[in-house]
Amino acid sequence: MKVPAPIVWQQGRLRLLDQRRLPTSVEYLDIDSIDDAVTAIATLAVRGAPAIGIAAGYALAASAARSPQADRTAWLAGLDAAAARLAGARPTAVNLAWAVNRLRRLAHAGAGADALVGEAEAMHAESEAVCLGIGRHGEALIEPGATVLTHCNAGALAVAGIGTATAPMYLRHRAGVPFRVLADETRPLLQGARLTAWELAEAGIDVTLICDNMAAVMMAAGEVDLVLVGTDRVTRNGDVVNKIGTLNLAVLCRHFGVPFYVACPSSTYDPDTPTGADVTIEERHADEVLGTQAARVAVRNPAFDVTPAALVTGIVSEHGIARAPLADTLAGIMTPAGPPG
Ligand code: MRU
């Protein structure tokens, strides 16, 4: 990958690429405490569902390693408290809870801090393989000459390796297949303009930046063959929770007959939550919308929306593609008997 790694684990120390400063400045933050990690996650220095899970996993393991382990009951209580703080740093992506609970389960089963560090490293390494699996299953969706529209950043900067929604793009590009990407700028924090457009361009992929409100015109003109986005959580019935604006795209896709696909690692599938209506949608600060030029009026700033399963053509995981009816097909794809196929 040409862009810098979002998460670096160096001799027991966590360093996070400060994505708020991209692409103008490449700077890393040293994360030396749970406070540091919670702040980095809540302020989007690290962002993207898988990346915040991996970062939280490392932060929790490092904190467990720093804490005295002689009194195991106290150590476990400290670990649980730290895990709860990390899981609460952002409410919507299921990966945060998924990652810290994976470490908590291990600790409560008797593992020490070294094993937790090993587990965090394993999660990080797994995520690269998972992205590759998504890429392999999803690449045939991008036909030669196609235009793919994506939203927010579900790329290398949001996870590790080749990203989730971007994985099919990177594999197609490596194979020399010609295609074009339209990147939504993704108001209000511009993850599409600052991150996706940057990382795809750095990789040499043909990418064109559009404002979010241009997607309908592009589709009406027949310029979009496929929409492919990431997700923060897919619920048991197949509802897709993702960056605000994703629902707009899914509605447009239905109207214009464009396939709407979602890249979802199995760590982002939440079979314990029945529907998207049961997910807490993060509401962020008004200043993100107001900036410096808007009138100082009341603001709504939900960071995510819910796309009903009925609008989703398919969900691409590292194990394969689930298609309608998702409520019936998803569980089999997300929790298969064997390793990624
Ligand atoms: O608020 P963000 O930047 O963390 O939102 C990220 C997204 O919505 C991504 O599409 C999602 O997390 C998938 S990342 C592989």
Side-chain angles (χ1 to χ4, degrees):
M1 298 305 310
K2 295 246 176 76
V3 291
I7 300 168
V8 175
W9 179 248
Q10 249 169 9
Q11 286 142 8
R13 191 173 208 195
L14 177 61
R15 306 189 74 218
L16 296 174
L17 177 64
D18 190 345
Q19 298 195 33
R20 297 165 302 189
R21 299 182 180 279
L22 293 176
T24 33
S25 163
V26 175
E27 289 173 35
Y28 279 85
L29 303 169
D30 291 323
I31 304 298
D32 293 322
S33 66
I34 295 295
D35 278 352
D36 288 351
V38 167
T39 303
I41 293 167
T43 61
L44 273 59
V46 62
R47 34 71 47 206
I52 58 179
I54 297 164
Y58 275 131
L60 188 60
S63 149
R66 279 190 304 267
S67 310
Q69 293 176 61
D71 179 347
R72 192 159 173 93
T73 309
W75 182 74
L76 281 174
L79 183 91
D80 286 346
R85 291 197 55 217
L86 288 163
R90 293 189 79 188
T92 304
V94 73
N95 298 65
L96 265 186
W98 175 87
V100 298
N101 285 337
R102 185 163 153 178
L103 265 56
R104 279 187 58 240
R105 271 197 301 277
L106 213 56
H108 283 270
D114 287 350
L116 299 191
V117 169
E119 190 72 0
E121 289 169 339
M123 283 195 292
H124 196 181
E126 275 166 27
S127 70
E128 297 206 15
V130 162
C131 291
L132 197 55
I134 290 173
R136 292 212 169 109
H137 287 292
E139 62 180 324
L141 298 174
I142 304 177
E143 291 183 2
T147 296
V148 188
L149 190 152
T150 193
H151 190 65
C152 195
N153 176 263
L157 292 163
V159 48
I162 54 176
T164 64
T166 53
M169 304 175 198
Y170 284 119
L171 293 194
R172 279 315 225 190
H173 181 65
R174 282 179 200 168
V177 175
F179 66 96
R180 180 170 79 118
V181 179
L182 294 178
D184 267 357
E185 66 176 353
T186 317
R187 279 276 294 156
L189 293 180
L190 304 179
Q191 289 93 330
R194 296 186 301 104
L195 308 178
T196 303
W198 181 57
E199 75 164 79
L200 294 181
E202 287 291 303
I205 293 175
D206 180 353
V207 57
T208 300
L209 181 64
I210 60 170
C211 300
D212 302 332
N213 49 12
M214 297 172 185
V217 157
M218 299 294 162
M219 288 190 200
E223 281 200 46
V224 181
D225 299 296
L226 168 73
V227 168
L228 181 52
V229 296
T231 176
D232 286 77
R233 189 189 297 239
V234 171
T235 55
R236 189 163 65 228
N237 69 335
D239 286 352
V240 172
V241 186
N242 192 44
K243 179 54 55 191
I244 191 80
T246 302
L247 173 60
N248 304 33
L249 290 176
V251 171
L252 290 174
C253 281
R254 179 56 54 94
H255 181 77
F256 289 109
V258 174
F260 178 85
Y261 280 92
V262 178
C264 175
S266 52
S267 58
T268 309
Y269 170 58
D270 179 9
D272 298 329
T273 300
T275 74
D278 303 304
V279 177
T280 303
I281 300 294
E282 177 182 12
E283 181 93 24
R284 295 187 60 84
H285 201 280
D287 287 352
E288 292 178 354
V289 174
L290 285 168
T292 50
Q293 290 173 347
R296 308 307 288 181
V297 296
V299 166
R300 287 293 314 277
N301 187 14
F304 300 95
D305 59 28
V306 178
T307 297
L311 294 180
V312 178
T313 312
I315 295 193
V316 188
S317 89
E318 70 271 29
H319 303 294
I321 303 185
R323 296 177 195 275
L326 290 171
D328 299 336
T329 58
L330 256 180
I333 288 282
M334 292 298 182
T335 48

